[in-house]
Amino acid sequence: LQPNGASSAGLSAGFTVPIEHVFHLLIFLAIGVSASFVRSNALLLMPLSFILLYVVGMATELDHVKYKLMPMFLFGSVILFGIIMSVTDSRRGVMSILVAASIGFHFGMYYASEVPDIASPLYFMIGNILSFALVFATSVSFGLTLRGDALSFDDSRKDD
């Protein structure tokens, strides 16, 4: 796929759509903050499962005739989600990951209908994923700060 005007429009529209809707942004922030409070390895797995099942939800709504490799995206996302579920170390972590994944799947199906006519759906999805990654990184670090596990630097160094 060679980038053109449709890909640029898809990438920019995909990046801005998740942060334009205030309620959607609050849901994404809640997923990231709650991931930092689950006492398991769900810190990275909750946002990752959201994104993986978002890809599955969006890919089910795209035109499979035009995008012939879309079943590979579906297959890869489902396999990675299975790996995530197998490495989760607590029941609360499994439940949190399942909730985040379900929300991601439904957002994927919703955002597939939000693709502008001028935009490429594949680049729209990539823009969404980049936006999700930034929001989740911010919200997880905010949650860690609230929890008190943020990195602290040694202040006992002497200035030379």
Side-chain angles (χ1 to χ4, degrees), residues 51-56 59 71-84:
I51 291 173
L52 287 173
L53 268 291
Y54 161 80
V55 170
V56 170
M72 295 300 152
F73 278 102
L74 287 168
F75 178 72
S77 295
V78 170
I79 292 296
L80 288 174
F81 182 69
I83 292 170
I84 285 175

Side-chain angles (χ1 to χ4, degrees), residues 58-138:
M58 186 147 181
T60 57
E61 297 292 318
L62 293 181
D63 183 17
H64 293 284
V65 175
K66 186 175 180 183
Y67 299 101
K68 293 182 183 1
L69 293 177
M70 199 52 66
M72 295 300 152
F73 278 102
L74 287 168
F75 178 72
S77 295
V78 170
I79 292 296
L80 288 174
F81 182 69
I83 292 170
I84 285 175
M85 294 307 294
S86 69
V87 300
T88 306
D89 60 357
S90 72
R91 286 186 188 156
R92 189 168 50 174
V94 168
M95 293 306 295
S96 302
I97 288 170
L98 287 175
V99 168
S102 174
I103 293 170
F105 180 77
H106 289 91
F107 269 104
M109 290 177 24
Y110 171 73
Y111 282 152
S113 66
E114 293 286 312
V115 178
D117 292 335
I118 193 173
S120 168
L122 191 60
Y123 283 97
F124 184 84
M125 182 169 57
I126 292 170
N128 282 157
I129 291 170
L130 291 173
S131 181
F132 294 149
L134 287 174
V135 170
F136 287 143
T138 305

Side-chain angles (χ1 to χ4, degrees), residues 6 11 21 89 138 151 160:
L11 194 62
H21 298 90
D89 60 357
T138 305
L151 295 175
D160 292 328

